[in-house]
Amino acid sequence: MAEGAKEPVGVGTTDPEEDSPNMIVYRKIEDIVTRIQDENAGGVSIRTVKSFLSKIPSVVSGADIVQWLMKNLSVEDPAEAIHLGSLVAAHGYIFPISDHVLMLKDDGTLYRFQSPYFWPSNCWEPENTDYAIYLCKRTMQNKARLELADYEAENLARLQRAFARKWEFIFMQAEAQVKIDRKKDKAERKILDSQERAFWDVHRPVPGCVNTTEMDIRKCRRERNPHRVKKSVYGVPDDGQSQPSPVHISSQPTKKTTKEDVQKEINFLNSQLDRHCMKVSKVADSLMSYTEQFMEYDPFVSATEPSNPWISDDMSFWDLEASRDPSQQRVKKWGFSLEEALKDPAGRDQFLKFLESEFSSENLRFWLAVQDLKRRPLQDVSSRAQEIWQEFLAEGAPSPINLDSHSYERTSQNIKDPGRYSYEDAQEHIFKLMKSDSYARFLRSNIYQDLLLARKKGKSLTGKRLTGLMQSS
Amino acid sequence: MRSPLTPEMATQEVQLNETLAHLKTESETLKTKLEEERAKLHDVELHQVAEKVEGLGQFVMKTRRTLKGHGNKVLCMDWCKDKRRIVSSSQDGKVIVWDAFTTNKEHAVTMPCTWVMACAYAPSGCAVACGGLDNKCSVYPLSLDKNENLAAKKKSVAMHTNYLSACSFTNSDMQILTSSGDGTCALWDVESGQLLQSFHGHAADVLCLDLAPSETGNTFVSGGCDKKANVWDMRSGQCIQSFETHESDINSVRYYPSGDAFASGSDDATCRLYDLRADREVAIYSKESIIFGVSSVDFSLSGRLLFGGYNDYTINVWDVLKGTRVSILFGHENRVSTLRVSPDGTAFCTGSWDHTLRIWA
């Protein structure tokens, strides 16, 4: 093992990638483990435990760690503390002294803290040559506690095949490491050996365990060491035959801020200053009343009637929604706003039906046609826009809509170069018209009121009839 | 090696730098002024106003279905409008369409690249879109004939100069909105593959986007590695509002159901709520014990609950109004990478690096 086990490598140097996503988490974990170890500031007591014929230096129990987490991070549920502690372990910051599996147990299991030298924030990406040296030197040590686990033996066999030609070199490196290790104090060696093992448990995890060194490829390019200059755990010089890095996305050249960029920013800020904004108190009231109105429709908050299909495996709830007869509750929603009514196809149909009965359906039909226009493929847009003009706005149109002269002017200009958004102004105007006029009348109409109340009558009657039929058969 | 400057060029360069510095100062002054103006309207906190709202009871949310079949990390998923089918994409290059209710796989496509980071279901239910490291967004029509090779009918729609991070159909099968590692978003016509509008303004990778829920709305919000969430006008391509309070990448953005606000999830381990009318962050959802980043967020139907999928393998459920966490859900064995609530709000689906998807209700 390289010298200076307790000296962090790279920490303290100026690091432009300090705010990369992985580093943010590492720093938070490091803050936690530093605090846990600080016995003067409410940390756990790290002690030597006597066991059979030997002493186990520098350990702490899992239960103590869980207690500390609960107390110092305001965690009420032990399960949550255990989960967080297990993640701290999985990332290699604490480890069980007698197991390769990095998780935290809420009992007397003994744990040790990882040396800052091996912290993930040092951006280790150890090569297989290093791993081979490590496994090789383990076989040279004649201690039961250092015997290879099955998966390690398999790994070693695989590495021996892969590095067949340079095995002599690896063997020599391993021997050199053993020599260095022998010079150390016995107690110190126990600690260092376990820390080294824990390091490899992170970078070459037990099969089936999560490899916490895996990265989100979208965040890779901003990691420290973008050129992947790898340092060896055992000081082995890079012979240029190192493993290729995981796919590395080509970095965008960092754009220098230009005058135009800043000018654009200034224009944007000025436009924001002109914006009329609402007070937070008003906005809060609005959010609250919206949520309150819809909570009865929210399956996570209010139990659905019939039952939630995902919970009961019964699809009646969906069958009902799809049926031609909308439920009372659903009809009630149409009354919340014109938007809600139009969002629901059944609501749209009923509103259209009402307008047709009044011979004033052209507004809604225009609105629907413009919606449809926006959904067309590009090549259809021009012709469809013309059709809409002919149907609703041209002189002598079969379904003339009532636009104010200003919107009419704007729209007829737009139509000269017809596009998806040619009717935006007109559509907005017509929507406001419907909202203030025909929508209100719709809600008072028989068509709507019947639906809002009809379900009640219909349901109980049908229910009684059906039961009667069943009983008599 | 720079060529030697003439005295005139040197003066010009100094002048240019002065103008740039001058502009930067002006920009900073405006930012401060804007913050002052907005702060005047920040008269109360949302959670204070929400004290009078009745608290939510205990929640029993469990995994109701587990979908197994992907060979590597699940990166993205989307619901079909029929409320039971979903499409998911994975690092192994596979895109799978499932009937989540029965857990049956209905279609599978193998993409030519690994890391398919984005996928979306078409509103009609007849097609899916996906893309990732190939820098493209492709549309696959779903055939009723199970034997038909879906890859044969593939349509290449969007082309970016870096990875595709997210995609979404607009209100029809005919347009797709994309975001990319190249720092831009773009709107495309599916049939012709033509670029209809591009959106420039982010200073780094754009990681996520969400369309405003309004029937007539023409806006969407995007989040990026520049820690900004931007609201865009689809017609003009202009950024109409911008929010920068997160301390790291914004991995997910989702509109509040009324469209007046949106939530974001970030690598800084917080979720935040931004209101468009106040032009301000109005809530922050965080806990001392939550230190891993948020990968994805979504609201329950009424907007009362915010679900967050985290890199610590859990889902945290937040009371949007009161700002408190109401539940923590365990189950996944690796990062939760994607989370969406179903169209009728009866369940939400999560996808994870543990190769599985789970349906929760």
Side-chain angles (χ1 to χ4, degrees):
Chain A
M1 193 160 89
E3 292 292 350
K6 294 238 163 64
E7 284 160 22
V9 168
V11 171
T13 54
T14 44
D15 181 7
E17 307 305 337
E18 194 56 40
D19 61 350
S20 78
N22 281 358
M23 206 55 78
I24 291 180
V25 180
Y26 293 148
R27 295 306 179 209
K28 287 182 192 169
I29 299 179
E30 283 159 20
D31 178 66
I32 290 173
V33 296
T34 307
R35 282 163 60 196
I36 298 186
Q37 291 176 81
D38 190 349
E39 300 199 41
N40 296 326
V44 295
S45 69
I46 304 166
R47 58 203 191 283
T48 302
V49 166
K50 285 211 177 95
S51 137
F52 302 125
L53 304 162
S54 63
K55 291 192 212 153
I56 308 173
S58 190
V59 287
V60 64
S61 74
D64 282 350
I65 295 176
V66 174
Q67 280 305 307
W68 188 94
L69 289 172
M70 285 179 70
K71 184 167 167 216
N72 290 275
L73 294 179
S74 317
V75 177
E76 292 106 37
D77 181 9
E80 209 186 321
I82 293 169
H83 184 83
L84 176 59
S86 291
L87 279 163
V88 171
H91 283 270
Y93 285 92
I94 58 176
F95 57 90
I97 59 166
S98 343
D99 201 341
H100 285 286
V101 176
L102 298 169
M103 59 182 260
L104 185 67
K105 292 195 191 143
D106 187 13
D107 56 20
T109 311
L110 297 173
Y111 292 82
R112 200 168 274 148
F113 290 92
Q114 181 58 282
S115 155
Y117 175 73
F118 281 131
W119 280 357
S121 49
N122 294 328
C123 298
W124 288 104
E125 268 178 78
E127 293 284 0
N128 276 334
T129 34
D130 277 353
Y131 189 44
I133 292 170
Y134 169 68
L135 290 177
C136 197
K137 81 161 175 171
R138 283 266 300 276
T139 62
M140 294 173 183
Q141 290 159 330
N142 212 1
K143 289 200 161 67
R145 68 177 164 87
L146 296 171
E147 224 171 71
L148 292 183
D150 287 343
Y151 79 94
E152 287 178 305
E154 277 172 37
N155 286 345
L156 179 58
R158 217 178 302 131
L159 287 166
Q160 276 169 328
R161 285 196 298 274
F163 291 132
R165 264 183 277 150
K166 63 182 206 177
W167 198 255
E168 213 183 300
F169 168 75
I170 288 176
F171 194 85
M172 272 167 37
Q173 292 292 319
E175 279 185 324
Q177 290 299 318
V178 170
K179 241 174 148 182
I180 294 171
D181 290 349
R182 280 214 184 101
K183 292 197 188 131
K184 299 205 176 104
D185 162 75
K186 197 175 170 190
E188 202 192 339
R189 268 200 69 193
K190 272 190 193 166
I191 296 172
L192 295 173
D193 281 351
S194 67
Q195 288 173 332
E196 190 188 10
R197 191 195 69 194
F199 170 81
W200 286 110
D201 288 339
V202 170
H203 292 276
R204 298 291 185 275
V206 178
C209 284
V210 172
N211 184 341
T212 57
T213 64
E214 279 189 317
M215 295 217 286
D216 184 337
I217 206 166
R218 302 170 303 173
K219 321 272 175 165
C220 271
R221 74 166 91 150
R222 289 142 57 219
E223 286 298 301
R224 229 213 291 196
N225 241 350
H227 300 292
R228 298 285 188 255
V229 172
K230 301 183 190 199
K231 57 179 185 286
S232 160
V233 186
Y234 305 112
V236 174
D238 186 6
D239 60 358
Q241 283 182 8
S242 35
Q243 294 253 323
S245 298
V247 179
H248 178 60
I249 305 173
S250 61
S251 214
Q252 297 280 74
T254 25
K255 292 182 280 178
K256 258 177 90 177
T257 337
T258 63
K259 256 201 319 173
E260 288 75 32
D261 290 336
V262 188
Q263 189 59 59
K264 226 177 153 191
E265 204 175 56
I266 291 171
N267 295 340
F268 177 76
L269 289 165
N270 276 318
S271 72
Q272 294 304 302
L273 277 164
D274 286 337
R275 171 190 290 275
H276 172 70
C277 292
M278 275 169 69
K279 280 198 214 169
V280 175
S281 52
K282 208 160 169 218
V283 143
D285 282 335
S286 161
L287 291 171
M288 274 165 54
S289 56
Y290 180 91
T291 294
E292 211 153 344
Q293 199 174 43
F294 283 91
M295 262 169 66
E296 69 173 281
Y297 298 91
D298 187 338
F300 276 104
V301 180
S302 320
T304 58
E305 184 55 52
S307 60
N308 187 326
W310 297 103
I311 300 175
S312 63
D313 285 343
D314 177 358
M315 301 205 297
S316 308
F317 180 77
W318 285 333
D319 293 336
L320 199 63
E321 287 288 310
S323 76
R324 309 230 95 212
D325 302 312
S327 70
Q328 238 188 315
Q329 204 190 28
R330 188 169 153 193
V331 173
K332 184 170 135 188
K333 227 202 269 188
W334 305 344
F336 292 168
S337 68
L338 178 53
E339 274 257 5
E340 281 300 319
L342 292 176
K343 214 191 266 186
D344 186 341
R348 218 183 297 152
D349 288 342
Q350 292 300 322
F351 188 32
L352 188 63
K353 196 167 151 195
F354 165 72
L355 290 171
E356 275 166 359
S357 73
E358 287 199 335
F359 303 102
S360 61
S361 64
E362 64 281 350
N363 284 345
L364 181 57
R365 282 190 292 116
F366 169 73
W367 188 88
L368 291 169
V370 176
Q371 286 298 90
D372 174 70
L373 172 68
K374 289 189 276 192
R375 292 166 191 175
R376 290 292 175 114
L378 190 59
Q379 62 179 33
D380 294 351
V381 166
S382 189
S383 56
R384 188 75 191 104
Q386 297 286 6
E387 281 170 21
I388 292 176
W389 179 265
Q390 290 305 316
E391 174 74 20
F392 298 99
L393 286 157
E395 231 177 86
S399 311
I401 58 167
N402 213 348
L403 273 189
D404 63 295
S405 54
H406 181 70
S407 302
Y408 192 88
E409 261 311 302
R410 288 271 291 270
T411 310
S412 46
Q413 282 301 319
N414 291 345
I415 268 307
K416 293 192 177 146
D417 182 17
R420 183 172 284 105
Y421 300 115
S422 296
Y423 293 105
E424 283 308 278
D425 289 336
Q427 194 189 31
E428 208 181 306
H429 179 87
I430 291 297
F431 187 84
K432 287 194 183 128
L433 208 62
M434 289 194 293
K435 191 169 163 181
S436 60
D437 183 28
S438 41
Y439 173 61
R441 287 203 314 277
F442 168 61
L443 294 182
R444 294 193 296 265
S445 73
N446 285 332
I447 289 180
Y448 179 71
Q449 289 294 325
D450 283 349
L451 282 171
L452 192 61
L453 305 165
R455 211 62 176 116
K456 236 187 196 171
K457 288 190 197 153
K459 202 175 186 180
S460 50
L461 271 172
T462 326
K464 275 198 189 135
R465 282 213 192 104
L466 267 176
T467 335
L469 275 169
M470 281 164 72
Q471 281 174 341
S472 58
S473 57
Chain B
M1 266 304 272
R2 295 173 63 179
S3 52
L5 292 172
T6 63
E8 290 97 18
M9 283 166 75
T11 330
Q12 263 178 18
E13 182 148 328
V14 170
Q15 277 175 346
L16 266 171
N17 286 336
E18 273 178 357
T19 325
L20 184 62
H22 181 72
L23 284 174
K24 279 188 177 167
T25 319
E26 193 183 334
S27 170
E28 288 306 312
T29 316
L30 283 172
K31 273 191 199 150
T32 315
K33 189 167 173 208
L34 186 62
E35 173 56 35
E36 278 168 13
E37 288 300 306
R38 294 290 183 262
K40 285 182 195 165
L41 297 172
H42 202 138
D43 53 345
V44 76
E45 293 299 329
L46 173 60
H47 64 82
Q48 289 173 307
V49 179
E51 268 164 28
K52 57 186 182 225
V53 174
E54 203 181 304
L56 296 164
Q58 280 286 32
F59 283 95
V60 178
M61 281 176 228
K62 288 197 235 174
T63 300
R64 306 289 174 175
R65 302 284 192 281
T66 305
L67 306 176
K68 297 185 185 173
H70 276 296
N72 210 320
K73 308 176 179 67
V74 178
L75 303 174
C76 189
M77 63 78 45
D78 191 19
W79 286 91
C80 175
K81 282 214 157 69
D82 74 357
K83 311 157 198 175
R84 53 187 284 175
R85 281 175 178 73
I86 64 169
V87 62
S88 61
S89 64
S90 161
Q91 185 191 344
D92 68 358
K94 290 250 186 352
V95 175
I96 301 178
V97 174
W98 317 69
D99 175 347
F101 197 68
T102 60
T103 73
N104 289 338
K105 298 180 199 42
E106 297 195 337
H107 303 272
V109 177
T110 307
M111 294 283 283
C113 65
T114 59
W115 289 88
V116 187
M117 303 165 194
C119 64
Y121 226 119
S124 68
C126 300
V128 292
C130 52
L133 280 189
D134 58 357
N135 300 357
K136 294 192 225 168
C137 184
S138 309
V139 176
Y140 292 84
L142 295 175
S143 166
L144 287 168
D145 177 2
K146 301 288 164 79
N147 294 322
E148 195 175 345
N149 181 12
L150 288 183
K153 293 246 176 84
K154 164 177 157 176
K155 196 184 197 95
S156 212
V157 175
M159 287 278 285
H160 279 280
T161 55
N162 215 305
Y163 65 86
L164 186 83
S165 54
C167 63
S168 174
F169 285 88
T170 61
N171 287 321
S172 84
D173 286 19
M174 294 296 129
Q175 286 110 43
I176 287 193
L177 190 59
T178 59
S179 65
S180 165
D182 66 13
T184 71
C185 299
L187 182 67
W188 310 82
D189 179 67
V190 173
E191 213 167 70
S192 63
Q194 198 172 319
L195 173 68
L196 297 172
Q197 184 64 257
S198 67
F199 306 88
H200 297 259
H202 278 288
D205 307 22
V206 186
L207 297 176
C208 51
L209 59 83
D210 191 34
L211 278 150
S214 162
E215 290 291 293
T216 46
N218 296 308
T219 59
F220 72 95
V221 62
S222 65
C225 293
D226 58 359
K227 312 173 196 175
K228 284 201 192 147
N230 290 338
V231 181
W232 306 87
D233 179 337
M234 272 161 63
R235 297 186 287 171
S236 62
Q238 293 303 308
C239 173
I240 51 184
Q241 273 176 279
S242 186
F243 303 87
E244 192 177 354
T245 61
H246 271 294
E247 293 165 19
S248 186
D249 299 7
I250 297 178
N251 297 314
S252 176
V253 284
R254 197 74 69 207
Y255 272 94
Y256 178 81
S258 74
D260 295 319
F262 69 90
S264 59
S266 162
D267 276 330
D268 67 8
T270 71
C271 299
R272 294 173 200 240
L273 184 69
Y274 297 94
D275 188 286
L276 300 175
R277 298 159 298 184
D279 193 33
R280 206 155 171 77
E281 174 194 298
V282 292
I284 173 166
Y285 307 98
S286 67
K287 253 178 165 285
E288 212 184 334
S289 52
I290 300 176
I291 60 175
F292 285 81
V294 189
S295 63
S296 50
V297 295
D298 204 354
F299 285 97
S300 72
L301 197 136
S302 65
R304 182 65 192 269
L305 299 174
L306 180 68
F307 302 105
Y310 288 71
N311 290 340
D312 66 4
Y313 320 170
T314 68
I315 295 125
N316 285 293
V317 185
W318 302 91
D319 179 328
V320 171
L321 301 176
K322 291 186 181 282
T324 52
R325 184 187 65 190
V326 295
S327 197
I328 178 170
L329 303 172
F330 300 100
H332 276 298
E333 294 167 14
N334 205 325
R335 296 193 194 190
V336 177
S337 52
T338 181
L339 185 155
R340 298 291 302 252
V341 172
S342 74
D344 64 356
T346 48
F348 68 88
C349 177
T350 52
S352 163
W353 279 20
D354 69 6
H355 308 189
T356 70
L357 293 124
R358 282 172 182 246
I359 309 286
W360 306 77

